[in-house]
């Protein structure tokens, strides 16, 4: 039976892999400096998940668990705290992937719980896990008294967009992030 729970620090490597799956290899490599690759990015993301002051922190993560295995994630945080939470990424990127991202565009805004990364392992897809993670994310938004959830979906990911529409997300505006054209959607 799949359970949705708050993440723990010991799940950092599995969570990092799922964050990278949500981002896509192309996007991860876009963030890497010359001579750095996916292994470097994974090492950095694992360290960021282990931290409590990072946008990717296990504290900001809900996991879908099958036994002891993390099979899905929802990484979400208060959009109003983006700049504070992003500092850990900016500092780590200089060290682990050789690139300064201090001028990165904002991907979220005040007043929304930003759903940064949603991913489910391929062999667990189409079982309703992503929808359950989104519902749990909405419950978290309600507890935090944030009126909506916001996310970016790649315009080249129609399956992802269809999932979000099926659970009630609506198009808000166009955006650009990680070298990709995106749609900002809210629930």
């Amino acid at each position: 039976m799949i359970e949705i729970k708050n993440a723990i620090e010991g799940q950092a490597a599995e969570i990092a892999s799922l964050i990278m799956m949500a981002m896509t290899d192309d996007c991860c490599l876009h963030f890497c400096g010359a001579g750095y690759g996916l292994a470097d990015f994974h090492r950095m993301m694992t360290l960021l998940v282990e931290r409590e002051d990072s946008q990717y922190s296990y504290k900001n993560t809900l996991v879908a668990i099958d036994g002891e295995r993390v099979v899905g994630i929802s990484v979400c945080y208060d959009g109003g705290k983006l700049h504070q939470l992003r500092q850990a990424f900016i500092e780590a990127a200089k060290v682990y992937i050789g690139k300064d991202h201090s001028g990165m565009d904002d991907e979220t805004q005040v007043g929304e719980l930003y759903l940064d990364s949603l991913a489910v392992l391929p062999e667990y897809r189409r079982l309703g896990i992503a929808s359950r993670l989104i519902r749990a994310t909405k419950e978290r938004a309600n507890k935090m008294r944030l009126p909506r959830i916001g996310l970016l979906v790649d315009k080249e990911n129609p399956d992802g967009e269809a999932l979000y529409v099926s659970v009630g997300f609506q198009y808000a505006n166009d955006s650009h992030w990680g070298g990709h054209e995106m749609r900002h959607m809210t629930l």
Side-chain angles (χ1 to χ4, degrees):
M1 184 170 106
I2 308 294
E3 296 181 85
I4 307 296
K5 297 181 172 184
N6 291 320
I8 58 172
E9 186 178 354
Q11 298 163 330
E14 290 175 284
I15 292 167
S17 294
L18 283 158
I19 291 169
M20 290 175 66
M21 183 183 299
M23 291 176 72
T24 75
D25 288 353
D26 181 50
C27 187
C28 294
L29 291 170
H30 169 82
F31 284 110
C32 290
Y36 293 88
L38 295 175
D40 302 303
F41 197 88
H42 187 267
R43 187 171 18 268
M44 176 188 73
M45 292 305 295
T46 300
L47 293 170
L48 290 172
V49 173
E50 290 172 343
R51 293 178 64 155
E52 293 186 9
D53 64 344
S54 159
Q55 68 198 91
Y56 300 107
S57 173
Y58 70 94
K59 295 252 184 197
N60 297 329
T61 305
L62 296 166
V63 291
I65 301 287
D66 184 8
E68 296 295 316
R69 186 177 186 200
V70 176
V71 300
I73 58 157
S74 168
V75 178
C76 54
Y77 50 85
D78 181 340
K81 295 181 180 178
L82 173 65
H83 293 174
Q84 170 190 342
L85 293 170
R86 184 181 277 163
Q87 278 309 118
F89 176 84
I90 291 169
E91 293 164 14
K94 291 174 188 174
V95 174
Y96 293 98
I97 58 174
K99 206 164 180 183
D100 183 355
H101 289 289
S102 56
M104 188 184 308
D105 291 336
D106 289 352
E107 58 198 276
T108 185
Q109 54 199 339
V110 173
E112 68 181 19
L113 182 67
Y114 183 63
L115 179 51
D116 185 290
S117 303
L118 179 74
V120 175
L121 292 174
E123 62 269 32
Y124 285 86
R125 292 182 184 158
R126 307 227 184 272
L127 299 175
I129 296 169
S131 297
R132 288 180 59 202
L133 284 164
I134 291 169
R135 282 194 299 276
T137 301
K138 182 63 174 159
E139 290 172 16
R140 184 175 273 195
N142 293 341
K143 287 178 187 171
M144 294 172 70
R145 297 180 192 258
L146 291 169
R148 68 184 169 275
I149 299 174
L151 59 81
L152 294 180
V153 62
D154 193 312
K155 288 183 178 182
E156 295 181 17
N157 182 2
D159 290 342
E161 186 171 347
L163 166 69
Y164 300 131
V165 168
S166 76
V167 296
F169 277 90
Q170 296 181 351
Y171 169 82
N173 55 35
D174 288 334
S175 185
H176 188 85
W177 184 85
H180 292 255
E181 294 297 319
M182 309 291 258
R183 293 188 202 289
H184 178 216
M185 300 183 77
T186 59
L187 173 67

